[in-house]
Amino acid sequence: MIRVRNLTRRFDGVTAVQDLSFDVAPGEILGLLGPNGAGKTTTLRMLAALISPTAGEATVCGHRLGEDDPGVRRSIGLLTETPGLYDRLSARKNLEVYARLHGVADPAGRAGHYLELLDLGGRREEPVGTFSRGMRQKLALARALLHEPRVLLLDEPTAGLDPRIARLVRDWIEELRQGGRTILLSTHNLEEAERLCDRVALLRTRLVALDRPAALRGLFSGGRTIVRLAQPDGGIRFAAALRALPFVTEVEAQGDALVVSVDQPEEDTPALVRALVEAGAEVIEVSPERRTLEEAYLQLMTEGPS
């Protein structure tokens, strides 16, 4: 649905995005993660045909940037971090204006549908200037969906929202994906990215890493396995039995647990457990060390992939 090749954008000699390449499959949510100034919003603006790339190319739903920008705009729904709404108009009027701009056949009906869907029906005739941040964000999301686009570009959709409204917006994004929408999501919220995204792209002007959240977490696990034992002092008692194994590179005792570094976890773990049992240990649980996406993000942004 989205194909990006060597996309680059410079502003007055300053490079905001450099040689960016990725694909987004139909029905996929791809998260864009990175610090302020990493190029996330610039990337969304280029893919929305709001600004032109300095170099490179991209297609959205088969429409090529720079050659068929109207086709691109018809195919996407854009939610900006600070949605511009007409404060003096009612919620209904806001949506009807944009529905007409998109050429929707029944602007009033489509506006009413999304107002009810996002639980704004009871406030439809009130000026948007009286709305809370969460209500404005929901209205902006409704505006992005009015023309039933196949692709959604969402820039920080839950930024500044209270936890309850943020959860409602995230639930709605999941429903959109289940309905077959393709979504490119820019966010600073790593927990949100891990919950919503099939894959995440880490940006720092250039693409630092692109993979599933679980795969990125696994980049820095270092083959460490955690073994929990029934004996309260088992870590200290049985550490020596593991240090004697040729494939064990490090053992750390932690009360009733052992944190063990091995060369090949999937192949070496059965032998590791056998050695512990033969030494008299009672094994309760064996699991790979799990890093958080935040830990992987910070290390990748600092060092790059290993």
Side-chain angles (χ1 to χ4, degrees):
M1 295 296 282
I2 301 175
R3 183 177 184 272
V4 175
R5 293 294 180 271
N6 304 116
L7 206 61
T8 299
R9 175 69 196 200
R10 300 185 186 92
F11 296 95
D12 298 325
V14 176
T15 301
V17 175
Q18 180 71 42
D19 292 328
L20 187 60
S21 297
F22 62 84
D23 296 321
V24 188
E28 180 181 22
I29 298 182
L30 176 66
L32 297 180
L33 300 179
N36 290 331
K40 304 185 299 298
T41 295
T42 298
T43 299
L44 293 182
R45 291 175 67 195
M46 285 191 285
L47 293 177
L50 297 179
I51 58 174
S52 301
T54 305
E57 61 183 31
T59 58
V60 180
C61 297
H63 305 287
R64 187 177 295 275
L65 289 180
E67 295 181 7
D68 186 12
D69 288 350
V72 170
R73 296 185 188 110
R74 285 193 299 270
S75 301
I76 63 107
L78 176 64
L79 177 66
T80 58
E81 185 177 359
T82 306
L85 297 164
Y86 295 111
D87 284 352
R88 295 184 180 182
L89 296 183
S90 67
R92 176 180 61 81
K93 283 290 187 181
N94 261 275
L95 293 190
E96 287 182 7
V97 166
Y98 284 101
R100 291 190 179 94
L101 290 172
H102 282 298
V104 173
D106 180 14
R110 188 70 58 83
H113 168 73
Y114 278 108
L115 286 168
E116 292 297 333
L117 202 60
L118 288 169
D119 197 28
L120 292 172
R123 306 288 294 273
R124 67 175 61 214
E125 299 302 334
E126 297 180 26
V128 170
T130 66
F131 281 15
S132 68
R133 172 69 189 271
M135 292 172 63
R136 294 172 69 90
Q137 196 75 336
K138 289 200 292 182
L139 186 64
L141 183 56
R143 180 182 63 184
L145 294 166
L146 281 171
H147 55 301
E148 303 292 348
R150 298 162 65 193
V151 171
L152 288 172
L153 308 178
L154 307 180
D155 194 0
E156 300 288 349
T158 61
L161 302 183
D162 68 59
R164 185 181 67 85
I165 298 299
R167 181 174 181 176
L168 289 174
V169 171
R170 285 193 291 267
D171 289 345
W172 181 240
I173 291 171
E174 286 186 329
E175 289 181 21
L176 291 170
R177 187 253 301 276
Q178 292 168 9
R181 308 292 176 98
T182 301
I183 300 173
L184 190 59
L185 168 69
S186 169
T187 181
H188 283 97
N189 188 323
L190 296 173
E191 182 181 350
E192 178 172 278
E194 189 152 20
R195 171 183 167 180
L196 292 176
C197 299
D198 300 292
R199 294 184 299 151
V200 293
L202 273 57
L203 301 185
R204 196 175 52 215
T205 304
R206 293 176 178 271
L207 184 64
V208 175
L210 173 62
D211 213 326
R212 295 173 295 106
L216 292 177
R217 291 197 309 269
L219 285 176
F220 301 102
S221 63
R224 286 160 61 96
T225 299
I226 300 174
V227 183
R228 273 206 321 122
L229 305 174
Q231 294 93 334
D233 60 346
I236 296 173
R237 286 177 57 188
F238 299 105
L242 297 185
R243 292 192 179 101
L245 299 174
F247 53 79
V248 172
T249 58
E250 184 181 359
V251 179
E252 179 183 344
Q254 298 180 354
D256 66 347
L258 290 159
V259 181
V260 189
S261 296
V262 297
D263 296 326
Q264 302 179 63
E266 290 189 6
E267 297 180 13
D268 296 336
T269 297
L272 183 153
V273 173
R274 281 197 301 272
L276 284 170
V277 172
E278 290 170 2
E282 298 177 18
V283 178
I284 295 177
E285 181 182 25
V286 180
S287 60
E289 183 182 51
R290 291 181 173 85
R291 295 291 182 94
T292 66
L293 183 59
E294 180 180 19
E295 290 173 314
Y297 169 88
L298 292 173
Q299 192 157 350
L300 281 164
M301 285 301 184
T302 302
E303 304 173 6
S306 57

